């Protein structure tokens, strides 16, 4: 169940669930909080891709305003809204690791 998965608080990707967005928001809000960032990507990777971002408390109205009703990916998690995360150093020039001294 979605509610059981949400207990971990990990970033979630929910495929093709936009028709059930209000139900998804209800199930996730107690675990993530109503201020948790969420993104809905309509027709991801297609030429006409579009998206909207918000929080669990306001995303349903934003998605409705965009008219997304099908073929959407929902991403939920604190990582979407926190700009204090540093960029990965994995491929940065000068970054050493096991295979690149």
């Amino acid at each position: 169940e979605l509610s059981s998965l949400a207990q971990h608080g990990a970033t979630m990707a929910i495929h093709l669930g936009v028709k059930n967005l209000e139900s998804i928001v209800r199930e996730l809000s107690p675990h993530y909080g109503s201020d948790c960032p969420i993104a809905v990507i309509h027709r991801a990777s297609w030429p006409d891709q579009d998206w909207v971002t918000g929080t669990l408390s306001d995303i349903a109205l934003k998605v409705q305003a965009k008219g997304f009703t099908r073929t959407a990916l929902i991403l939920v998690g604190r990582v979407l809204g926190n700009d204090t995360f540093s960029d990965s150093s994995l491929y940065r020039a000068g970054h050493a690791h096991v295979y690149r001294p």
Side-chain angles (χ1 to χ4, degrees):
E1 289 185 10
L2 192 56
S3 181
S4 296
L5 293 170
Q7 290 176 7
H8 300 284
T11 302
M12 295 182 87
I14 303 166
H15 297 269
L16 304 175
V18 74
K19 286 189 105 163
N20 300 312
L21 185 59
E22 290 184 17
S23 173
I24 290 168
V25 166
R26 268 194 312 276
E27 287 193 56
L28 298 183
S29 290
H31 304 286
Y32 288 88
S34 62
D35 64 334
C36 183
I38 181 170
V40 178
I41 302 95
H42 182 251
R43 297 174 62 97
S45 79
W46 295 30
D48 59 344
Q49 171 180 299
D50 196 5
W51 65 88
V52 64
T53 60
T55 63
L56 286 172
S57 65
D58 65 10
I59 197 65
L61 289 175
K62 290 181 174 186
V63 166
Q64 183 180 18
K66 283 280 199 171
F68 301 163
T69 59
R70 301 176 45 166
T71 321
L73 171 66
I74 301 167
L75 300 174
V76 182
R78 297 276 168 201
V79 70
L80 297 173
N82 191 340
D83 58 3
T84 62
F85 289 100
S86 34
D87 292 337
S88 172
S89 298
L90 184 60
Y91 299 107
R92 182 178 42 90
H95 176 72
H97 56 78
V98 173
Y99 297 106
R100 186 172 40 157

